[in-house]
Amino acid sequence: MRIKQKYIIDFAKGVTWALVLFLIYFFNQQNNITAWIYFCIHGSYGIMWVLKSYIFPDKTWESKVGIPYATLIFIGLILYWAPAFIITSSGHEASNLVTVASIIIFSIGVFYHFVSDMQKFIFLKNNSGLIKDGFWNQCRHPNYFGEFLIYSSFLLLVIESPQWWIPSAILLLFIVAVWIPNMLKIEKSLSRFDDHQDYKKKTAFFIPYLF
């Protein structure tokens, strides 16, 4: 039996709001504003991801995988819930400065991630070749940059907690083991276009205008 990767990812991200809500009540954190802010940002991100998956899907996640690999994907996605467990189980509350920074970073991340994915979807639906304008004029992987900001905003809410290193290590693991290999795979695929080298020289790899 094989299953599309998108179904596993959509399910894991789509139930995030329900999981966080359960944890808030299970650990009696109804008065913890940090828990509710986390519920809002991570929960809404999960809902937006599912909507994106059906409105402007990414072909990357359309491929089918076997049950063992599907299980591995789901376990990996569960690790992203680490900040939720830390906040609710320990009663951690972020400072006002950190909370404001988290919300701002999340908002910018959502903008970069979803709008650049929408731009890519519309372009590839009607064209072929390199996308060299809009977000893709700033860096070659703006959607990954946006996702990095989104997950960094979740991490930031527990940065003052003794357990801050757990979600930090998880995010770093995903960047090194999943994100970078995927971005390099995309780079290799796009190298078939004649103007790729010129485009590569003029744009940043991951962080707009910088790196």
Side-chain angles (χ1 to χ4, degrees), residues 81-176:
W81 293 337
F85 285 96
I86 293 172
I87 292 169
T88 55
S89 64
S90 67
H92 172 72
E93 294 190 41
S95 64
N96 290 340
L97 181 62
V98 166
T99 300
V100 170
S102 174
I103 294 172
I104 291 173
I105 292 172
F106 173 76
S107 301
I108 297 172
V110 165
F111 178 65
Y112 262 90
H113 178 66
F114 289 99
V115 179
S116 62
D117 264 357
M118 171 65 87
Q119 182 187 356
K120 181 180 73 172
F121 176 79
I122 294 174
F123 179 88
L124 295 179
K125 189 176 182 180
N126 303 291
N127 307 274
S128 62
L130 297 175
I131 313 172
K132 296 187 287 186
D133 59 352
F135 288 95
W136 307 84
N137 185 47
Q138 303 173 9
C139 71
R140 299 191 297 282
H141 303 280
N143 46 354
Y144 276 97
F145 172 68
E147 196 160 15
F148 170 73
L149 293 182
I150 290 170
Y151 281 106
S152 293
S153 73
F154 305 154
L155 163 63
L156 195 57
L157 287 177
V158 296
I159 201 66
E160 299 163 308
S161 164
Q163 291 84 34
W164 66 270
W165 62 272
I166 298 175
S168 299
I170 291 170
L171 180 57
L172 181 61
L173 174 64
F174 268 88
I175 291 173
V176 173

Side-chain angles (χ1 to χ4, degrees), residues 2-202:
R2 296 174 67 80
I3 184 173
K4 286 186 178 182
Q5 294 184 61
K6 68 173 292 181
Y7 295 147
I8 307 158
I9 299 171
D10 289 357
F11 175 77
K13 296 196 178 190
V15 301
T16 295
W17 69 271
L19 171 84
V20 179
L21 188 63
F22 169 77
L23 291 175
I24 288 173
Y25 281 90
F26 182 81
F27 289 109
N28 296 314
Q29 293 299 307
Q30 294 92 325
N31 296 319
N32 186 339
I33 188 63
T34 299
W36 286 112
I37 289 173
Y38 184 89
F39 166 79
C40 289
I41 61 176
H42 202 163
S44 63
Y45 164 67
I47 293 171
M48 285 186 283
W49 176 279
V50 174
L51 291 173
K52 181 195 80 164
S53 179
Y54 286 91
I55 298 172
F56 48 104
D58 190 331
K59 291 182 179 180
T60 304
W61 312 123
E62 294 290 332
S63 60
K64 293 183 178 181
V65 296
I67 296 301
Y69 190 68
T71 304
L72 183 62
I73 292 174
F74 184 70
I75 293 173
L77 291 169
I78 288 176
L79 296 177
Y80 277 133
W81 293 337
F85 285 96
I86 293 172
I87 292 169
T88 55
S89 64
S90 67
H92 172 72
E93 294 190 41
S95 64
N96 290 340
L97 181 62
V98 166
T99 300
V100 170
S102 174
I103 294 172
I104 291 173
I105 292 172
F106 173 76
S107 301
I108 297 172
V110 165
F111 178 65
Y112 262 90
H113 178 66
F114 289 99
V115 179
S116 62
D117 264 357
M118 171 65 87
Q119 182 187 356
K120 181 180 73 172
F121 176 79
I122 294 174
F123 179 88
L124 295 179
K125 189 176 182 180
N126 303 291
N127 307 274
S128 62
L130 297 175
I131 313 172
K132 296 187 287 186
D133 59 352
F135 288 95
W136 307 84
N137 185 47
Q138 303 173 9
C139 71
R140 299 191 297 282
H141 303 280
N143 46 354
Y144 276 97
F145 172 68
E147 196 160 15
F148 170 73
L149 293 182
I150 290 170
Y151 281 106
S152 293
S153 73
F154 305 154
L155 163 63
L156 195 57
L157 287 177
V158 296
I159 201 66
E160 299 163 308
S161 164
Q163 291 84 34
W164 66 270
W165 62 272
I166 298 175
S168 299
I170 291 170
L171 180 57
L172 181 61
L173 174 64
F174 268 88
I175 291 173
V176 173
V178 181
W179 294 11
I180 291 178
N182 280 349
M183 287 188 280
L184 292 177
K185 185 178 179 181
I186 293 171
E187 293 275 317
K188 184 177 180 180
S189 175
L190 294 178
S191 65
R192 69 185 187 276
F193 295 109
D194 294 335
D195 50 349
H196 179 258
Q197 283 301 320
D198 185 56
Y199 168 66
K200 190 175 179 179
K201 292 176 183 178
K202 296 178 180 178

